[in-house]
Amino acid sequence: MENKIISSLRQRYATQSFDSTKILTEQQVASIIEAVRLTPTSYGLQLMKVVVVENKEKRKALVGASYGQKQVDEASHLFIICREVKISEALINAYVQNISKTRQIELDQLIGYRDMMVRSILTMPIEQQNHWMEKQVYIALGNLLNVTALLDLDACPMEGFSVDQYIEILDLKSLNLVPIIAVPIGHRHQDDSRSKDKKVRRSISDFMIQID
Ligand SMILES: Cc1cc2nc3c(=O)[nH]c(=O)nc-3n(C[C@H](O)[C@H](O)[C@H](O)COP(=O)(O)O)c2cc1C
């Protein structure tokens, strides 16, 4: 398994050209979503959602909103990891109710935990709250990319898009979501020259510091 993980991470790359004729199976899509859903988050709050865009017209419009990056339309599927637009007491309460139901714990017993989260999170300045949510989106991105590679699928993580235009095209305001990272996923096109590029990474000696 260890070799499978490392060889998958070596063969994955930020795919520039996808083969549109190759479509993900429902099982593959479900596995990717499950990997993102299982991502650990601070307190376990999961202040994020994954949007899967199937609509072809919208996918074409998103290419223009992504500086012409055609992967957004070409790939089999487009996943967008979004954060909540704002952290509210209602979201924290919903999480506490989920704990209560899932673990069969009386709500009364969770009030202290709830109050502690409200105190420590909602007193942060808004920019800090947003940054905090976004840091966790990137943990989810890591999981998504790793699982995609393990499934022998290809992906391109993309920050290169207009957040405002994505919000408008996908009507994300009505869902209270802000798109943070877009990830087209599918199968690489056989002519994608980037697939032959050697990986550029720091050497181990320049990357790892051992303190004895
Ligand atoms: C957060 C993030 C944003 C990125 N945004 C883009 C993007 O908008 N377009 C693109 O082609 N690649 C994008 N990349 C891909 C990186 O350039 C690529 O992962 C990096 O150069 C390492 O190469 P590799 O992934 O092929 O190993 C992004 C990667 C990350 C992690």
PDB file of all heavy atoms in Angstrom, residues 12-14 16 69 71 138 141 156-160 181 194 199 201, ligand 1:
ATOM      1  N   ARG A  12       0.554  11.697 -10.317  1.00  0.00           N
ATOM      2  CA  ARG A  12      -0.448  12.768 -10.452  1.00  0.00           C
ATOM      3  C   ARG A  12       0.258  14.080 -10.837  1.00  0.00           C
ATOM      4  O   ARG A  12       1.429  14.278 -10.547  1.00  0.00           O
ATOM      5  CB  ARG A  12      -1.277  12.952  -9.180  1.00  0.00           C
ATOM      6  CG  ARG A  12      -0.532  13.496  -7.957  1.00  0.00           C
ATOM      7  CD  ARG A  12      -1.308  14.459  -7.087  1.00  0.00           C
ATOM      8  NE  ARG A  12      -1.652  15.680  -7.748  1.00  0.00           N
ATOM      9  CZ  ARG A  12      -0.792  16.688  -7.964  1.00  0.00           C
ATOM     10  NH1 ARG A  12       0.462  16.620  -7.556  1.00  0.00           N
ATOM     11  NH2 ARG A  12      -1.184  17.772  -8.594  1.00  0.00           N
ATOM     12  N   TYR A  13      -0.451  14.942 -11.481  1.00  0.00           N
ATOM     13  CA  TYR A  13       0.082  16.265 -11.809  1.00  0.00           C
ATOM     14  C   TYR A  13      -1.098  17.176 -12.087  1.00  0.00           C
ATOM     15  O   TYR A  13      -2.221  16.705 -12.317  1.00  0.00           O
ATOM     16  CB  TYR A  13       1.033  16.179 -13.023  1.00  0.00           C
ATOM     17  CG  TYR A  13       0.326  15.891 -14.321  1.00  0.00           C
ATOM     18  CD1 TYR A  13       0.090  16.900 -15.252  1.00  0.00           C
ATOM     19  CD2 TYR A  13      -0.163  14.614 -14.602  1.00  0.00           C
ATOM     20  CE1 TYR A  13      -0.587  16.635 -16.432  1.00  0.00           C
ATOM     21  CE2 TYR A  13      -0.850  14.349 -15.773  1.00  0.00           C
ATOM     22  CZ  TYR A  13      -1.052  15.361 -16.685  1.00  0.00           C
ATOM     23  OH  TYR A  13      -1.741  15.102 -17.839  1.00  0.00           O
ATOM     24  N   ALA A  14      -0.836  18.466 -12.058  1.00  0.00           N
ATOM     25  CA  ALA A  14      -1.916  19.434 -12.288  1.00  0.00           C
ATOM     26  C   ALA A  14      -2.287  19.369 -13.783  1.00  0.00           C
ATOM     27  O   ALA A  14      -1.658  20.012 -14.631  1.00  0.00           O
ATOM     28  CB  ALA A  14      -1.450  20.824 -11.891  1.00  0.00           C
ATOM     29  N   GLN A  16      -3.574  19.665 -17.386  1.00  0.00           N
ATOM     30  CA  GLN A  16      -3.965  20.837 -18.180  1.00  0.00           C
ATOM     31  C   GLN A  16      -4.972  20.494 -19.259  1.00  0.00           C
ATOM     32  O   GLN A  16      -5.713  21.350 -19.722  1.00  0.00           O
ATOM     33  CB  GLN A  16      -2.720  21.455 -18.825  1.00  0.00           C
ATOM     34  CG  GLN A  16      -1.664  21.884 -17.830  1.00  0.00           C
ATOM     35  CD  GLN A  16      -2.162  22.954 -16.871  1.00  0.00           C
ATOM     36  OE1 GLN A  16      -2.542  24.038 -17.285  1.00  0.00           O
ATOM     37  NE2 GLN A  16      -2.190  22.648 -15.575  1.00  0.00           N
ATOM     38  N   GLN A  69      -9.153  28.817 -18.548  1.00  0.00           N
ATOM     39  CA  GLN A  69      -8.637  27.462 -18.250  1.00  0.00           C
ATOM     40  C   GLN A  69      -9.720  26.441 -18.619  1.00  0.00           C
ATOM     41  O   GLN A  69     -10.709  26.273 -17.919  1.00  0.00           O
ATOM     42  CB  GLN A  69      -8.237  27.351 -16.782  1.00  0.00           C
ATOM     43  CG  GLN A  69      -7.134  28.334 -16.406  1.00  0.00           C
ATOM     44  CD  GLN A  69      -6.520  28.021 -15.066  1.00  0.00           C
ATOM     45  OE1 GLN A  69      -5.672  27.163 -14.937  1.00  0.00           O
ATOM     46  NE2 GLN A  69      -6.959  28.735 -14.038  1.00  0.00           N
ATOM     47  N   GLN A  71      -9.897  23.290 -18.640  1.00  0.00           N
ATOM     48  CA  GLN A  71     -10.106  22.068 -17.845  1.00  0.00           C
ATOM     49  C   GLN A  71     -11.468  22.074 -17.154  1.00  0.00           C
ATOM     50  O   GLN A  71     -12.095  21.038 -16.968  1.00  0.00           O
ATOM     51  CB  GLN A  71      -9.064  21.929 -16.723  1.00  0.00           C
ATOM     52  CG  GLN A  71      -7.624  21.958 -17.127  1.00  0.00           C
ATOM     53  CD  GLN A  71      -7.035  23.349 -16.994  1.00  0.00           C
ATOM     54  OE1 GLN A  71      -7.537  24.299 -17.576  1.00  0.00           O
ATOM     55  NE2 GLN A  71      -5.950  23.472 -16.248  1.00  0.00           N
ATOM     56  N   TYR A 138      -8.369  23.813   2.544  1.00  0.00           N
ATOM     57  CA  TYR A 138      -7.153  23.277   1.915  1.00  0.00           C
ATOM     58  C   TYR A 138      -6.783  21.898   2.464  1.00  0.00           C
ATOM     59  O   TYR A 138      -6.118  21.124   1.774  1.00  0.00           O
ATOM     60  CB  TYR A 138      -5.997  24.278   2.031  1.00  0.00           C
ATOM     61  CG  TYR A 138      -6.218  25.429   1.080  1.00  0.00           C
ATOM     62  CD1 TYR A 138      -6.914  26.566   1.471  1.00  0.00           C
ATOM     63  CD2 TYR A 138      -5.802  25.333  -0.241  1.00  0.00           C
ATOM     64  CE1 TYR A 138      -7.165  27.594   0.575  1.00  0.00           C
ATOM     65  CE2 TYR A 138      -6.053  26.353  -1.141  1.00  0.00           C
ATOM     66  CZ  TYR A 138      -6.740  27.474  -0.726  1.00  0.00           C
ATOM     67  OH  TYR A 138      -7.000  28.474  -1.626  1.00  0.00           O
ATOM     68  N   LEU A 141      -8.863  19.829   0.340  1.00  0.00           N
ATOM     69  CA  LEU A 141      -8.265  19.745  -0.996  1.00  0.00           C
ATOM     70  C   LEU A 141      -7.190  18.661  -1.026  1.00  0.00           C
ATOM     71  O   LEU A 141      -7.107  17.875  -1.973  1.00  0.00           O
ATOM     72  CB  LEU A 141      -7.661  21.096  -1.402  1.00  0.00           C
ATOM     73  CG  LEU A 141      -6.819  21.077  -2.680  1.00  0.00           C
ATOM     74  CD1 LEU A 141      -7.684  20.796  -3.900  1.00  0.00           C
ATOM     75  CD2 LEU A 141      -6.049  22.385  -2.863  1.00  0.00           C
ATOM     76  N   CYS A 156      -6.917  18.870 -11.524  1.00  0.00           N
ATOM     77  CA  CYS A 156      -6.131  20.111 -11.532  1.00  0.00           C
ATOM     78  C   CYS A 156      -6.677  21.032 -10.447  1.00  0.00           C
ATOM     79  O   CYS A 156      -7.773  21.585 -10.607  1.00  0.00           O
ATOM     80  CB  CYS A 156      -6.216  20.800 -12.890  1.00  0.00           C
ATOM     81  SG  CYS A 156      -5.149  22.260 -12.957  1.00  0.00           S
ATOM     82  N   PRO A 157      -5.936  21.180  -9.335  1.00  0.00           N
ATOM     83  CA  PRO A 157      -6.397  22.136  -8.326  1.00  0.00           C
ATOM     84  C   PRO A 157      -6.296  23.538  -8.904  1.00  0.00           C
ATOM     85  O   PRO A 157      -5.286  23.867  -9.519  1.00  0.00           O
ATOM     86  CB  PRO A 157      -5.401  21.943  -7.166  1.00  0.00           C
ATOM     87  CG  PRO A 157      -4.169  21.401  -7.804  1.00  0.00           C
ATOM     88  CD  PRO A 157      -4.597  20.629  -9.026  1.00  0.00           C
ATOM     89  N   MET A 158      -7.317  24.345  -8.742  1.00  0.00           N
ATOM     90  CA  MET A 158      -7.314  25.675  -9.369  1.00  0.00           C
ATOM     91  C   MET A 158      -7.817  26.777  -8.450  1.00  0.00           C
ATOM     92  O   MET A 158      -8.955  26.757  -8.013  1.00  0.00           O
ATOM     93  CB  MET A 158      -8.229  25.658 -10.610  1.00  0.00           C
ATOM     94  CG  MET A 158      -7.642  24.955 -11.804  1.00  0.00           C
ATOM     95  SD  MET A 158      -8.830  24.909 -13.165  1.00  0.00           S
ATOM     96  CE  MET A 158      -9.510  26.536 -13.067  1.00  0.00           C
ATOM     97  N   GLU A 159      -6.914  27.715  -8.206  1.00  0.00           N
ATOM     98  CA  GLU A 159      -7.334  28.949  -7.519  1.00  0.00           C
ATOM     99  C   GLU A 159      -7.527  30.061  -8.536  1.00  0.00           C
ATOM    100  O   GLU A 159      -8.007  31.137  -8.173  1.00  0.00           O
ATOM    101  CB  GLU A 159      -6.219  29.413  -6.559  1.00  0.00           C
ATOM    102  CG  GLU A 159      -6.272  28.807  -5.205  1.00  0.00           C
ATOM    103  CD  GLU A 159      -5.108  29.283  -4.334  1.00  0.00           C
ATOM    104  OE1 GLU A 159      -4.041  29.625  -4.885  1.00  0.00           O
ATOM    105  OE2 GLU A 159      -5.269  29.304  -3.123  1.00  0.00           O
ATOM    106  N   GLY A 160      -7.121  29.789  -9.753  1.00  0.00           N
ATOM    107  CA  GLY A 160      -7.138  30.813 -10.797  1.00  0.00           C
ATOM    108  C   GLY A 160      -8.524  31.019 -11.372  1.00  0.00           C
ATOM    109  O   GLY A 160      -8.813  30.570 -12.488  1.00  0.00           O
ATOM    110  N   ILE A 181     -11.733  26.793  -3.968  1.00  0.00           N
ATOM    111  CA  ILE A 181     -10.859  26.068  -4.893  1.00  0.00           C
ATOM    112  C   ILE A 181     -11.710  25.218  -5.848  1.00  0.00           C
ATOM    113  O   ILE A 181     -12.643  24.560  -5.408  1.00  0.00           O
ATOM    114  CB  ILE A 181      -9.820  25.214  -4.116  1.00  0.00           C
ATOM    115  CG1 ILE A 181      -8.792  24.578  -5.062  1.00  0.00           C
ATOM    116  CG2 ILE A 181     -10.453  24.146  -3.264  1.00  0.00           C
ATOM    117  CD1 ILE A 181      -7.461  25.235  -4.994  1.00  0.00           C
ATOM    118  N   ARG A 194       2.064  18.201 -20.430  1.00  0.00           N
ATOM    119  CA  ARG A 194       2.467  18.359 -19.020  1.00  0.00           C
ATOM    120  C   ARG A 194       2.636  17.010 -18.309  1.00  0.00           C
ATOM    121  O   ARG A 194       3.352  16.902 -17.319  1.00  0.00           O
ATOM    122  CB  ARG A 194       1.424  19.198 -18.271  1.00  0.00           C
ATOM    123  CG  ARG A 194       1.560  20.698 -18.474  1.00  0.00           C
ATOM    124  CD  ARG A 194       2.765  21.289 -17.744  1.00  0.00           C
ATOM    125  NE  ARG A 194       2.621  21.178 -16.297  1.00  0.00           N
ATOM    126  CZ  ARG A 194       1.967  22.051 -15.559  1.00  0.00           C
ATOM    127  NH1 ARG A 194       1.435  23.115 -16.115  1.00  0.00           N
ATOM    128  NH2 ARG A 194       1.860  21.880 -14.265  1.00  0.00           N
ATOM    129  N   LYS A 199       8.674  16.028 -12.221  1.00  0.00           N
ATOM    130  CA  LYS A 199       8.212  16.768 -11.050  1.00  0.00           C
ATOM    131  C   LYS A 199       9.327  17.664 -10.531  1.00  0.00           C
ATOM    132  O   LYS A 199      10.475  17.240 -10.417  1.00  0.00           O
ATOM    133  CB  LYS A 199       7.826  15.808  -9.916  1.00  0.00           C
ATOM    134  CG  LYS A 199       6.456  15.228 -10.059  1.00  0.00           C
ATOM    135  CD  LYS A 199       5.625  15.442  -8.791  1.00  0.00           C
ATOM    136  CE  LYS A 199       4.192  15.044  -9.048  1.00  0.00           C
ATOM    137  NZ  LYS A 199       3.511  15.922 -10.010  1.00  0.00           N
ATOM    138  N   ARG A 201      10.515  19.427  -7.303  1.00  0.00           N
ATOM    139  CA  ARG A 201      10.316  19.516  -5.862  1.00  0.00           C
ATOM    140  C   ARG A 201      11.661  19.779  -5.206  1.00  0.00           C
ATOM    141  O   ARG A 201      12.715  19.424  -5.759  1.00  0.00           O
ATOM    142  CB  ARG A 201       9.736  18.199  -5.289  1.00  0.00           C
ATOM    143  CG  ARG A 201       8.309  17.847  -5.738  1.00  0.00           C
ATOM    144  CD  ARG A 201       7.274  18.814  -5.209  1.00  0.00           C
ATOM    145  NE  ARG A 201       5.907  18.338  -5.426  1.00  0.00           N
ATOM    146  CZ  ARG A 201       5.161  18.626  -6.502  1.00  0.00           C
ATOM    147  NH1 ARG A 201       5.675  19.357  -7.480  1.00  0.00           N
ATOM    148  NH2 ARG A 201       3.928  18.168  -6.604  1.00  0.00           N
TER     149      ARG A 201
HETATM  150  C1  LIG B   1      -3.931  25.930  -4.191  1.00  0.00           C
HETATM  151  C2  LIG B   1      -3.491  25.640  -5.594  1.00  0.00           C
HETATM  152  C3  LIG B   1      -3.926  26.447  -6.639  1.00  0.00           C
HETATM  153  C4  LIG B   1      -3.559  26.159  -7.959  1.00  0.00           C
HETATM  154  N1  LIG B   1      -4.094  26.872  -9.002  1.00  0.00           N
HETATM  155  C5  LIG B   1      -3.852  26.477 -10.275  1.00  0.00           C
HETATM  156  C6  LIG B   1      -4.540  27.044 -11.380  1.00  0.00           C
HETATM  157  O1  LIG B   1      -5.381  27.939 -11.246  1.00  0.00           O
HETATM  158  N2  LIG B   1      -4.271  26.554 -12.621  1.00  0.00           N
HETATM  159  C7  LIG B   1      -3.376  25.550 -12.850  1.00  0.00           C
HETATM  160  O2  LIG B   1      -3.187  25.133 -13.995  1.00  0.00           O
HETATM  161  N3  LIG B   1      -2.703  24.990 -11.806  1.00  0.00           N
HETATM  162  C8  LIG B   1      -2.933  25.412 -10.546  1.00  0.00           C
HETATM  163  N4  LIG B   1      -2.291  24.792  -9.499  1.00  0.00           N
HETATM  164  C9  LIG B   1      -1.329  23.705  -9.778  1.00  0.00           C
HETATM  165  C10 LIG B   1       0.107  23.997  -9.331  1.00  0.00           C
HETATM  166  O3  LIG B   1       0.711  24.910 -10.178  1.00  0.00           O
HETATM  167  C11 LIG B   1       0.838  22.645  -9.285  1.00  0.00           C
HETATM  168  O4  LIG B   1       0.182  21.814  -8.364  1.00  0.00           O
HETATM  169  C12 LIG B   1       2.307  22.792  -8.874  1.00  0.00           C
HETATM  170  O5  LIG B   1       3.024  23.508  -9.839  1.00  0.00           O
HETATM  171  C13 LIG B   1       2.970  21.440  -8.638  1.00  0.00           C
HETATM  172  O6  LIG B   1       2.890  20.653  -9.794  1.00  0.00           O
HETATM  173  P1  LIG B   1       2.142  19.239  -9.857  1.00  0.00           P
HETATM  174  O7  LIG B   1       0.824  19.417  -9.136  1.00  0.00           O
HETATM  175  O8  LIG B   1       1.923  19.009 -11.325  1.00  0.00           O
HETATM  176  O9  LIG B   1       3.004  18.233  -9.206  1.00  0.00           O
HETATM  177  C14 LIG B   1      -2.666  25.080  -8.206  1.00  0.00           C
HETATM  178  C15 LIG B   1      -2.230  24.294  -7.130  1.00  0.00           C
HETATM  179  C16 LIG B   1      -2.641  24.537  -5.860  1.00  0.00           C
HETATM  180  C17 LIG B   1      -2.210  23.613  -4.743  1.00  0.00           C
END
